[in-house]
Amino acid sequence: MVENGIGASLRRKEDNRFLTGKGNYTDDINRPGQTHAYLLRSPHAHATINSINISAANSAPGVVAVFVGQDLLDDAVGGLVCGASVTGKGGEVNKAPPRNVLTIDKARFVGDPIAVVIAETLAQAKDGAELIAVDYTELPSVVSTSGADQPGAPQLHEECPDNVALDWELGDKAAVDAAFASAAKTASVRLINNRMVTNPMEPRAAVGEYNSGTDEITLYVTSQNPHVHRLVMSAFMNIAPEHKFRVVAPDVGGGFGSKIFTYNEEAICAWAAKKINRPVKWTADRSEAFLCDAHGRDHVSTAEMAMDADGKFLAMRVSSQANMGAYLQLFSIAIPTLFHGFLLAGQYTTPAIYLEMRSVMTNTAPVDAARGAGRPEATYLLERLVDVAALEMGLDPAEIRRRNFIKAEQMPYQTPVVQCYDSGDYDASLDKALANADYDGFAARRAEAKGRGKLRGIGLSAYIEACGVAPSAAVGSLGVGVGLWESAQVRFNPTGGVTVFTGTHSHGQGHETAFAQLVTERLGVPVENVEVVHGDTDKGQFGMGTYGSRSLPVGGVAIANACDKIIAKGKKIAAHCLEAAEDDIDFAEGNFTVAGTDKTMNIAEVAFTAYVPHNYPEGVEPGLDEIAFFDPLNFSFPAGTHVCEVEVDPDTGTLEIVNYTAVDDFGVLVNPMIVEGQVHGGLAHGIGQALLEGCVYDDDSGQLITGSFQDYCMPRADNLPSFNVDYSPTIPIHNPLGVKGCGEAGAIAAPPAVINAIVNALGIKHLDMPATPEKVWRAAQAAG
Amino acid sequence: MYNFNFHAASSLDDAVAKLGAAEDGTVMAGGQTLIPVLKQRLANPTDVVDLSGIAELSGISASGNGVTIGAMTTHAAVANSSDVPAALRAVAEGIGDPQVRNRGTLGGSIANNDPAADYPAALLGLGATITTNQREIAADDFFTGLFETALTDGEIIKSVTFPNATKAAYAKFPSPASRYAMVGVFVAQAADGVRVAVTGATDCAHRGPKLEAALSANWSPDALDGITIPPDHLNSDIHGSAEYRANLVIVMAKRAVAAAG
Ligand SMILES: Cc1cc2nc3c(=O)[nH]c(=O)nc-3n(C[C@H](O)[C@H](O)[C@H](O)COP(=O)(O)OP(=O)(O)OC[C@H]3O[C@@H](n4cnc5c(N)ncnc54)[C@H](O)[C@@H]3O)c2cc1C
């Protein structure tokens, strides 16, 4: 057994710097001669821009430059792009309305940037922005998901008639309709998946710098994927060629998806730094984060289930509308389609599934991937529908799930919605969750609560997600414009320390620890001798970044494969030094040993020999430094059952989560402590969505009502119970490390578990998220 | 934030003088409301006069008849003082978070008169008296409207005197996001009879005569059964409609009476 390898709950290596204030975030970076950028944003949800007068701003004290959209166009700077194109009904590819870095003709949401003022100080930049005179003609706006495509709705883009970007369908409609026609029972629910503001603790920031000596641009930026940022800004925005463009994502304080995407402000900092030949810095304030960070979710759906007389699912039919906001963001068109539709089978054998998904444009901030990205929407819809089905059938929610589960022995299982699950034992995780939650004792607890005037309810959620994104050819065939492999370089230094370069990026996930443990396990070097480096396009090889719970399932395998190359080369060197045949060399726990002897050489000695090759095998290159790229063969499929128990105060509608039990299948756990932390964070996110969070725009004015924490309710510690977390692992056949990913599970599983519990407490069919005290109170009053 | 002149006042007279000399001056207490407003460029005073260095404005002193609390006394100091009656301590304890309670002050809170602030309910519920550099004002006359008080230009609050009550309690229903009061009800058996004060429900904290009458007849939660509050003039926002707030007024009033004993 290697110490501190896979399975050790090692304290996080990175926490020393985070907890002692030594983190280095983008806003901590200040460059000599730096200027400050401030963006003038549209105060209107929808308006024609007739003219922009910048002359007063240009001559304001401290102002270095003022730019509008045309200035970037004149420099051939491209607009922001959507990196996916999805083919919809009738073979029609989604509309891709153009988006300039600074909008020129029209403002399409409150916060749409119109001009940038660059000044010696931020206050001067703000003062300058106040002097810009924009002549707007206000237009009526539409913010609602279901209203966007209605007759007479204000139109956002000429390219999108009726504000429709895409009409997409999935599955066999005729088979589904036929199953409904002959079903013994059907269940149906109409639900809203509420819009979320991701709200990472660190707001977005960027510092651009230009070196006229080398003609290179450096961009420090809050990014989950610095190479992808560079690629997009080079290939589509023409900021600088990749070999003359360095993107650094230093410590990043949370992303939750919103820092995947390339944004206007970042492009401006990079471009303007060269234009004015001085560093340019921009940091979002919290209000800008609310207005302009990509939001998440925002679906309106009707879901129906057809069943036989025993409650066996025969077919499922879903009609949904997804809000894309005012412009398509980097991956937005793929989220309600591919990442949502492909998960609609859930853990069940439902043989026929049909989804119609319409993606609409509205006068709101763009919507894109946010923790779970499409999978929380699918899981919420399905797990709510299953509870409604149980109600219709008069079956216990656990029982109806059991009757419809894909059984462990059916794995691998091809669903009717593209995905083929490679492992899972859903009965096992359900049974364990019910036992851990004392499901059988619930009736007594409910009765006891009733004596105290409280309504107690219990709810289940049996979720599945597709993580480890993603096999490149598969996503490529579906229209995603990039490969989703991952890379790693494992470099022995001559004195035995190991530096690992990963193409993933850590913004809170603890990769510096977990990845080091992987290397320790594989190579037998002490964990303190392994340093993980990420986030700088000049330091490591190209990589795709972190999202979709991919870092360990994809990036981790690349690291393991690079380690294996090190071992293979090390065997050659050791065989030479130990005067044995290469085939006779065994490697274990850091030592190369001649089989059946005590002749051995530590990997550190091998590394030294590789760099000082005085006595060295012929034909072998010096050095011990290997790169591996790994393209996964399949997604990974974390799954599990969560059980939530709530108590409602019917007089006020407030509720308390009195019990929350999670049983997850993440495969192998590399660092159980970090995994538990990820589960807790995910649950906070999911419970936040279910009870507290909801982004609200005013229907008439299009103004963002939840523009600060005064109105947008984030979950706080006292909203959350002490979680009961456990695991029920199965081993995926496609992942060489046996890992599945864990970062999104809680955010996916929790919303239906919470709402199912509330609905159960109140004895009603459905309640939309967020279940605010008033909504719960009204439902309790109506239910008597 | 726009530029402004900053003055640290050394005494109340100094503060009055500096404020008087300013073109468009404002005083600053804990800054918990003022600074966010300045940061967002929603206000543009020429001068800010900081009261935090004026010793005579903070402190708590109890007498046989009640307790007097200096305007600059922080919420945390009130919450932790054994000289302060429990119901009032609980009000201070329930404001904001530890950072806010350690900066925010009694004077700042009531001068600001946020419709969802907690202290105004306590002042009305206990029949407090506000002492300024110019005069004494009864709480019943002080809170005049949305962010409006009886204070005149240049008038500075020195202290607030709370008379003793036989029984008193405050029940707050926090708005989920801001945790200000969506509805807060302060009830007391005060020297001059039963007092009930409601905050959060309307544009300004106010007394509840219907509830006072019912509780004067019968000091018990049940006495409020059957009373309904018309929602017509109640606040309504994304967190709670007027109807919901109307329900909360009764529920919180009952809980306050139960807590007061
Ligand atoms: C995150 C957060 C949460 C909060 N939660 C709550 C809550 O739950 N309940 C609640 O009631 N409040 C809450 N508050 C408000 C808090 O109580 C503030 O402290 C209070 O509103 C203002 O007090 P201050 O001392 O900070 O005053 P300042 O911000 O310094 O001043 C506020 C106003 O009062 C004036 N002023 C200050 N002192 C005097 C004086 N002595 N005489 C005349 N005028 C004066 C100032 O000129 C200014 O106009 C919260 C605030 C924050 C930031």
Side-chain angles (χ1 to χ4, degrees):
Chain A
M1 256 290 283
V2 175
E3 208 188 336
N4 294 325
I6 290 177
S9 279
L10 190 66
R11 291 227 183 149
R12 305 200 322 167
K13 290 164 86 122
E14 45 273 79
D15 283 347
N16 181 51
R17 74 173 186 278
F18 292 148
L19 297 176
T20 58
K22 296 292 197 297
N24 183 36
Y25 296 89
T26 301
D27 191 56
D28 293 326
I29 292 168
N30 292 297
R31 305 301 300 160
Q34 174 176 290
T35 61
H36 297 266
Y38 182 75
L39 282 101
L40 179 72
R41 300 180 183 281
S42 170
H44 307 297
H46 201 189
T48 308
I49 300 169
N50 304 316
S51 66
I52 308 173
N53 186 336
I54 60 168
S55 58
N58 247 329
S59 51
V63 169
V64 177
V66 182
F67 297 114
V68 294
Q70 191 60 44
D71 294 317
L72 287 108
L73 285 191
D74 292 347
D75 259 13
V77 175
L80 296 162
V81 294
C82 182
S85 52
V86 175
T87 305
K89 286 183 182 172
E92 207 177 319
V93 174
N94 67 271
K95 308 288 193 312
R99 181 178 192 190
N100 289 313
V101 173
L102 294 168
T103 192
I104 295 171
D105 54 334
K106 263 218 286 190
R108 293 184 179 83
F109 70 102
V110 176
D112 206 353
I114 289 174
V116 59
V117 180
I118 297 170
E120 300 294 340
T121 69
L122 180 58
Q124 288 172 329
K126 287 184 180 179
D127 290 344
E130 287 183 8
L131 299 174
I132 297 177
V134 185
D135 180 26
Y136 296 101
T137 303
E138 269 193 77
L139 301 169
S141 60
V142 58
V143 297
S144 105
T145 313
S146 53
D149 60 345
Q150 296 304 303
Q155 302 289 299
L156 270 83
H157 299 275
E158 277 171 22
E159 297 80 3
C160 297
D162 298 327
N163 295 321
V164 176
L166 176 67
D167 266 323
W168 191 73
E169 65 181 341
L170 175 70
D172 184 343
K173 185 173 192 309
V176 168
D177 288 347
F180 269 88
S182 63
K185 271 235 185 279
T186 61
S188 132
V189 65
R190 181 177 155 82
L191 42 79
I192 291 171
N193 200 294
N194 43 327
R195 179 186 278 241
M196 309 262 286
V197 182
T198 47
N199 274 319
M201 200 181 286
E202 178 207 24
R204 288 188 299 114
V207 183
E209 184 170 22
Y210 175 65
N211 182 331
S212 59
T214 58
D215 192 30
E216 281 173 357
I217 292 177
T218 301
L219 178 68
Y220 303 90
V221 62
T222 47
S223 170
Q224 299 179 211
N225 32 233
H227 284 95
V228 176
H229 258 81
R230 189 183 66 174
L231 172 67
V232 172
M233 288 193 185
S234 292
F236 301 104
M237 306 186 76
N238 204 22
I239 300 286
E242 281 180 281
H243 64 287
K244 289 288 189 188
F245 194 6
R246 176 182 177 203
V247 175
V248 184
D251 286 329
V252 174
F256 310 112
S258 67
K259 292 175 184 166
I260 297 173
F261 325 118
T262 36
Y263 288 91
N264 325 54
E265 301 87 358
E266 303 159 357
I268 287 169
C269 287
W271 166 77
K274 180 172 179 180
K275 189 89 182 157
I276 65 168
N277 199 12
R278 286 179 65 181
V280 179
K281 180 173 193 167
W282 172 82
T283 302
D285 59 30
R286 189 55 70 177
S287 308
E288 287 180 297
F290 274 105
L291 283 177
C292 303
D293 284 8
H295 295 168
R297 322 273 192 260
D298 203 341
H299 292 192
V300 177
S301 306
T302 301
E304 300 165 276
M305 190 72 90
M307 292 168 281
D308 72 10
D310 298 323
K312 189 96 177 128
F313 303 156
L314 302 174
M316 180 172 153
R317 188 160 58 195
V318 181
S319 172
S320 271
Q321 200 137 307
N323 195 332
M324 297 279 92
Y327 304 95
L328 296 186
Q329 191 87 14
L330 195 59
F331 290 115
S332 55
I333 204 73
I335 305 306
T337 50
L338 317 181
F339 284 84
H340 171 248
F342 293 179
L343 263 296
L344 282 176
Q347 300 188 354
Y348 310 109
T349 55
T350 319
I353 297 173
Y354 178 71
L355 165 69
E356 265 181 316
M357 171 59 78
R358 173 169 278 198
S359 300
V360 296
M361 312 302 299
T362 64
N363 296 108
T364 63
V367 181
D368 204 329
R371 201 176 196 163
R375 293 152 290 165
E377 295 90 318
T379 301
Y380 179 66
L381 179 149
L382 178 58
E383 288 302 287
R384 274 276 51 239
L385 179 60
V386 168
D387 261 35
V388 173
L391 205 64
E392 296 289 348
M393 293 301 303
L395 284 172
D396 184 274
E399 177 55 24
I400 199 167
R401 286 177 170 81
R402 263 196 211 99
R403 285 189 192 179
N404 287 286
F405 273 161
I406 299 162
K407 300 294 168 189
E409 54 277 15
Q410 291 175 277
M411 294 292 170
Y413 187 85
Q414 177 60 54
T415 71
V417 281
V418 181
Q419 293 289 14
C420 179
Y421 304 158
D422 71 344
S423 61
D425 185 342
Y426 309 136
D427 283 290
S429 48
L430 176 76
D431 289 347
K432 195 168 191 177
L434 296 181
N436 289 1
D438 184 23
Y439 194 70
D440 293 341
F442 172 71
R445 294 195 294 279
R446 170 177 263 180
E448 185 276 333
K450 196 164 181 205
R452 289 181 281 112
K454 296 284 170 69
L455 307 174
R456 195 158 171 134
I458 197 162
L460 305 182
S461 152
Y463 77 98
I464 187 164
E465 48 170 331
C467 293
V469 294
S472 298
V475 294
S477 73
L478 296 165
V480 176
V482 289
L484 287 169
W485 46 267
E486 198 41 81
S487 70
Q489 180 171 9
V490 174
R491 175 185 298 167
F492 262 93
N493 302 305
T495 51
V498 179
T499 308
V500 179
F501 300 90
T502 170
T504 64
H505 183 273
S506 184
H507 27 281
Q509 296 90 340
H511 294 171
E512 289 166 48
T513 308
F515 289 180
Q517 288 178 253
L518 268 187
V519 172
T520 290
E521 177 79 27
R522 210 79 169 184
L523 299 181
V525 289
V527 78
E528 58 274 14
N529 289 2
V530 184
E531 196 66 25
V532 175
V533 176
H534 57 79
D536 185 340
T537 57
D538 262 15
K539 282 190 184 163
Q541 67 298 336
F542 201 97
M544 292 307 299
T546 287
Y547 37 81
S549 302
R550 69 187 304 275
S551 301
L552 185 60
V554 190
V557 175
I559 291 173
N561 289 352
C563 289
D564 289 348
K565 289 186 181 177
I566 293 270
I567 295 167
K569 183 170 181 180
K571 279 188 179 172
K572 289 191 171 62
I573 300 168
H576 175 84
C577 295
L578 297 171
E579 298 175 336
E582 192 186 329
D583 285 351
D584 289 340
I585 302 289
D586 292 335
F587 179 75
E589 298 186 19
N591 294 312
F592 294 94
T593 308
V594 182
T597 75
D598 59 0
K599 284 179 28 178
T600 187
M601 202 174 166
N602 185 264
I603 194 165
E605 293 173 71
V606 169
F608 186 78
T609 306
Y611 287 101
V612 188
H614 296 166
N615 174 19
Y616 206 64
E618 216 172 291
V620 176
E621 289 177 11
L624 199 56
D625 189 354
E626 297 287 348
I627 288 191
F629 285 69
F630 175 68
D631 202 343
L633 298 168
N634 193 353
F635 289 81
S636 66
F637 297 98
T641 294
H642 289 202
V643 185
C644 176
E645 206 166 321
V646 300
E647 262 185 32
V648 173
D649 169 6
D651 293 338
T652 60
T654 44
L655 65 86
E656 190 188 344
I657 297 178
V658 286
N659 239 318
Y660 196 100
T661 305
V663 172
D664 295 304
D665 174 1
F666 299 140
V668 171
L669 307 185
V670 172
N671 182 320
M673 180 198 72
I674 290 178
V675 171
E676 190 170 344
Q678 289 290 310
V679 173
H680 284 204
L683 289 175
H685 225 132
I687 291 170
Q689 174 171 26
L691 297 180
L692 308 165
E693 299 185 52
C695 176
V696 181
Y697 283 90
D698 184 71
D699 267 328
D700 295 328
S701 67
Q703 295 291 327
L704 178 63
I705 296 178
T706 50
S708 80
F709 291 129
Q710 290 268 88
D711 286 306
Y712 187 90
C713 188
M714 291 296 281
R716 277 166 265 195
D718 63 358
N719 296 120
L720 305 170
S722 182
F723 300 117
N724 178 352
V725 175
D726 203 345
Y727 307 98
S728 175
T730 62
I731 300 307
I733 55 178
H734 289 116
N735 191 282
L737 290 173
V739 300
K740 299 190 179 185
C742 67
E744 297 161 297
I748 294 170
V754 173
I755 298 297
N756 286 344
I758 296 170
V759 161
N760 176 258
L762 299 174
I764 59 173
K765 181 178 155 189
H766 180 66
L767 191 73
D768 271 323
M769 302 188 288
T772 59
E774 173 161 8
K775 277 193 210 161
V776 174
W777 172 74
R778 285 187 184 276
Q781 299 303 305
Chain B
M1 205 175 272
Y2 296 105
N3 282 340
F4 54 78
N5 303 309
F6 178 82
H7 312 273
S10 54
S11 67
L12 190 54
D13 290 343
D14 185 33
V16 171
K18 287 188 162 126
L19 203 54
E23 186 188 327
D24 178 17
T26 184
V27 297
M28 180 167 77
Q32 296 300 287
T33 297
L34 184 64
I35 288 182
V37 167
L38 294 178
K39 274 171 72 177
Q40 298 203 48
R41 297 190 155 201
L42 297 172
N44 189 8
T46 56
D47 298 77
V48 171
V49 181
D50 180 10
L51 304 181
S52 62
I54 308 176
E56 62 185 295
L57 290 185
S58 40
I60 299 169
S61 62
S63 72
N65 304 326
V67 61
T68 297
I69 302 177
M72 285 298 291
T73 311
T74 63
H75 309 329
V78 173
N80 293 320
S81 168
S82 55
D83 289 331
V84 175
L88 193 51
R89 282 209 308 267
V91 171
E93 175 96 70
I95 295 174
D97 49 45
Q99 291 88 332
V100 170
R101 289 196 289 277
N102 279 297
R103 296 287 315 172
T105 66
L106 171 59
S109 174
I110 62 172
N112 189 52
N113 194 20
D114 190 294
D118 296 299
Y119 265 132
L123 267 69
L124 288 172
L126 289 168
T129 302
I130 295 107
T131 304
T132 73
N133 60 327
Q134 297 172 7
R135 57 187 168 144
E136 293 193 343
I137 311 168
D140 287 338
D141 304 324
F142 185 82
F143 303 104
T144 53
L146 185 71
F147 294 106
E148 296 276 336
T149 67
L151 291 174
T152 56
D153 257 5
E155 191 170 11
I156 295 177
I157 302 167
K158 284 171 69 178
S159 64
V160 180
T161 300
F162 297 89
N164 289 336
T166 325
K167 291 179 174 180
Y170 180 58
K172 169 178 181 175
F173 189 91
S175 185
S178 72
R179 305 231 172 149
Y180 275 74
M182 181 159 347
V183 166
V185 180
F186 197 102
V187 300
Q189 288 184 355
D192 59 347
V194 168
R195 297 177 74 99
V196 177
V198 180
T199 189
T202 54
D203 57 3
C204 173
H206 61 276
R207 290 182 58 187
K210 250 201 273 187
L211 304 181
E212 288 178 351
L215 291 172
S216 301
N218 173 16
W219 180 262
S220 127
D222 302 341
L224 304 178
D225 280 340
I227 298 182
T228 52
I229 306 289
D232 317 349
H233 300 294
L234 300 199
N235 296 335
S236 185
D237 57 31
I238 58 166
H239 306 291
S241 67
E243 294 77 25
Y244 182 56
R245 280 183 163 84
N247 168 65
L248 287 178
V249 171
I250 301 295
V251 175
M252 291 299 120
K254 286 181 171 188
R255 290 185 183 177
V257 174

